[in-house]
Amino acid sequence: MKRLENKIAVITGGNSGIGLATAKDFIAEGAKVIITGRNATALNAALKELGSNAQGIALDVANSGQWKQFGEQLKALTPKVDVLFVNAGIAKFSPIEATTEELFDEQFNVNVKGAYFSIQQVLPLMPEGSSIVLNTSINASIGMANASVYSATKAAVLTLIRTLSAELLSRKIRVNAVSPGPVTTPLHSAGKRGVSEEQSQQVDESIVRQIPLGRFGRPEEIAKAVTFFASDDSSFILGAELIVDGGMATL
Ligand SMILES: NC(=O)c1ccc[n+]([C@@H]2O[C@H](COP(=O)([O-])OP(=O)(O)OC[C@H]3O[C@@H](n4cnc5c(N)ncnc54)[C@H](OP(=O)(O)O)[C@@H]3O)[C@@H](O)[C@H]2O)c1
């Protein structure tokens, strides 16, 4: 039997990068997935790629006006959600002197507030024994210059593995986190970084020098860790963080 047979999974930000790779892995393990994405075109393209075991809901997690509607749309699509992968996120680096209130709020609104209230909307559909996996980052624990706001958002999310595991104990809902190191996804594109192609390449090169394995991770390598937390293979694990980073945070 496949590891996620008969399971229904929701993945926020499932139209790209780690979220999309995880959707593919969940489906390969027998699950049906519901992905969310901001951009309808990207969402539809991902759904086409994922095939008949995937459905989609358009959601901007930073828009509080959409949260309730998301919960209602989800309820109309499925009677239960066994796995929630809280993955939608952005990363914008800047030295503290240059950080604007707008940049600060944007990242907290997506990465913290969006994550928190997405969980709140999905929880009523989660049966006993279900699993929540949070996508945090090694930035929650390491001292990387120019990453102060992003790191603070991920550190905030990381605390939820313990507080929510305690709060949801009576429902036997386990909450764990994967903390990736640098992974090749559109998050590192020049466009999403807001820099030129040349600058972006220089950033990539400087990051690779800091990774003991000497390369970026692949989205599929993070997906495998998420599937572990999503499945009963991790049935005795809650409140845990799994670092998947080629040794960057620890060696
Ligand atoms: N790549 C890395 O090196 C790395 C390392 C550690 C942690 N992470 C974390 O991994 C997660 C996924 O990132 P990724 O690397 O896979 O990058 P990605 O390919 O850019 O994917 C990010 C996903 O989040 C979605 N998203 C962003 N803002 C949103 C919003 N306001 N509402 C709804 N969806 C939103 C994106 O949608 P759009 O396509 O519409 O933008 C996209 O689907 C993030 O939480 C990131 O912090 C990534």
Side-chain angles (χ1 to χ4, degrees):
M1 186 165 157
K2 291 178 175 172
R3 292 193 294 169
L4 298 178
E5 204 81 60
N6 302 321
K7 304 279 189 199
I8 312 251
V10 170
I11 300 173
T12 67
N15 63 303
S16 175
I18 295 168
L20 182 57
T22 304
K24 288 178 186 167
D25 203 57
F26 281 4
I27 290 170
E29 291 291 350
K32 291 195 187 312
V33 303
I34 297 166
I35 60 169
T36 75
R38 251 190 312 201
N39 174 317
T41 313
L43 186 62
N44 288 334
L47 287 173
K48 210 167 156 193
E49 199 178 334
L50 291 170
S52 59
N53 285 319
Q55 291 176 286
I57 298 177
L59 166 71
D60 177 347
V61 294
N63 183 342
S64 60
Q66 293 183 10
W67 293 336
K68 196 161 174 269
Q69 193 188 349
F70 163 60
E72 284 163 2
Q73 282 178 286
L74 191 59
K75 204 171 156 195
L77 280 184
T78 177
K80 61 152 191 169
V81 175
D82 305 287
V83 176
L84 169 61
F85 181 35
V86 183
N87 166 73
I90 54 171
K92 297 200 174 172
F93 290 9
S94 120
I96 187 166
E97 294 89 343
T99 300
T100 59
E101 185 179 359
E102 193 188 9
L103 191 93
F104 185 100
D105 286 347
E106 185 188 2
Q107 291 190 84
F108 269 85
N109 283 341
V110 177
N111 295 358
V112 184
K113 219 168 154 185
Y116 190 88
F117 287 99
S118 300
I119 298 170
Q120 188 186 66
Q121 287 302 323
V122 182
L123 262 180
L125 293 171
M126 299 194 82
E128 195 168 285
S130 50
S131 169
I132 298 175
V133 188
L134 310 175
N135 197 349
T136 56
S137 168
I138 56 163
N139 282 106
S141 318
I142 65 171
M144 183 186 284
N146 304 331
S148 55
V149 179
Y150 177 67
S151 303
T153 66
K154 292 299 183 179
V157 173
L158 191 57
T159 64
L160 296 176
I161 60 176
R162 298 194 186 91
T163 49
L164 293 187
S165 281
E167 204 168 316
L168 301 172
L169 203 54
S170 60
R171 292 173 60 184
K172 297 189 169 51
I173 297 176
R174 300 179 297 113
V175 187
N176 294 293
V178 288
S179 286
V183 179
T184 305
T185 72
L187 193 93
H188 293 286
S189 62
K192 283 201 175 181
R193 278 184 176 147
V195 297
S196 69
E197 289 291 346
E198 196 188 344
Q199 287 169 320
S200 192
Q201 202 179 328
Q202 282 166 4
V203 175
D204 282 353
E205 285 164 8
S206 110
I207 291 174
V208 167
R209 285 197 289 273
Q210 300 168 54
I211 307 171
L213 274 185
R215 65 168 175 86
F216 274 57
R218 294 184 291 274
E220 300 76 30
E221 293 174 309
I222 311 303
K224 292 289 176 201
V226 183
T227 299
F228 169 68
F229 279 140
S231 75
D232 288 343
D233 285 355
S234 59
S235 54
F236 201 52
I237 304 177
L238 63 166
E241 176 192 17
L242 182 52
I243 294 170
V244 191
D245 71 342
M248 185 169 170
T250 42
L251 266 63

